[in-house]
Amino acid sequence: MLAPLDSISLSCMEMRQLEAFTIVATELHFGRAAQRLHMGQPTLSELVQRLEREVGTPLLTRTTRRVALTGAVA
């Protein structure tokens, strides 16, 4: 059962992290996602890393050439 909307409290930073992750997951490319979000790649990467630390598991696998969703997300 879902909690009532008034009991859900997301900080502005958490919303930014979720938005950043969603765009990276859609694009599967940090450069394109950063452009869509109008921010630099290092900032975007840090937002996603913070989210991963908060949920306690990697959400993306990264190589120099590729980004993919992990089993925790897929």
Side-chain angles (χ1 to χ4, degrees), residues 44-60:
L44 175 58
S45 183
E46 178 60 30
L47 285 172
V48 173
Q49 288 172 352
R50 282 187 206 163
L51 179 62
E52 289 175 319
R53 280 194 301 270
E54 287 178 18
V55 299
T57 190
L59 303 172
L60 301 169

